[in-house]
Amino acid sequence: QVQLVESGGGLVQPGGSLTLSCDTSAFKLDYYTIGWFRQAPGKEREGISCHSNLVGATYYENSVKGRFTISRDHVGNTVALQMNNLQPEDSAVYYCAMGQPSNCATAQTAGVMAAKGYGYWGQGTQVTVSS
């Protein structure tokens, strides 16, 4: 049973930084796409970043491009999302998810990251950006 556990959320002031971590129990993590999604109250879940080592794809949604960085720790099966210059509109519950290897290349091509194709999800971690 694949398990994903997010951590690192919290309260931060505008302009601040947080690093979210997603610990996975998946064997051969390199075969999968790892994605980060977020959902704010009253809004739909949106895909903000993904990475697929197998197909060499990385994607960032426009609103986070240049501020967020996704990275993988191959040894520890941990995926991180470094978030800089956080703004109140970044406040949401953040989820990591694992899906098919082609998911991130598809997001790159389409310019949008869909939740379809991600079969495993973490429980989410709250990020609140407020002064």
Side-chain angles (χ1 to χ4, degrees):
Q1 179 72 22
V2 175
Q3 291 185 330
L4 289 80
V5 179
E6 302 97 336
S7 60
L11 174 63
V12 64
Q13 292 186 343
S17 298
L18 282 175
T19 300
L20 305 182
S21 293
C22 177
D23 291 330
T24 80
S25 62
F27 180 64
K28 293 184 178 178
L29 182 64
D30 284 354
Y31 286 174
Y32 299 96
T33 287
I34 295 294
W36 284 97
F37 295 77
R38 66 185 180 187
Q39 187 167 20
K43 294 188 177 181
E44 294 186 355
R45 186 172 298 188
E46 63 171 342
I48 57 173
S49 183
C50 63
H51 176 72
S52 172
N53 196 59
L54 185 66
V55 301
T58 302
Y59 165 86
Y60 295 99
E61 194 272 332
N62 283 339
S63 69
V64 307
K65 197 175 294 183
R67 300 188 298 127
F68 291 10
T69 303
I70 190 171
S71 62
R72 309 171 74 133
D73 172 0
H74 297 274
V75 175
N77 269 1
T78 298
V79 178
L81 185 68
Q82 172 69 41
M83 306 186 297
N84 298 325
N85 191 23
L86 285 162
Q87 300 300 318
E89 53 267 32
D90 294 316
S91 296
V93 177
Y94 283 70
Y95 300 88
C96 67
M98 183 181 295
Q100 300 167 13
S102 61
N103 284 6
C104 205
T106 299
Q108 278 188 327
T109 301
V112 64
M113 186 175 149
K116 180 181 179 181
Y118 289 86
Y120 301 97
W121 293 80
Q123 81 289 350
T125 185
Q126 177 70 48
V127 172
T128 303
V129 185
S130 175
S131 55

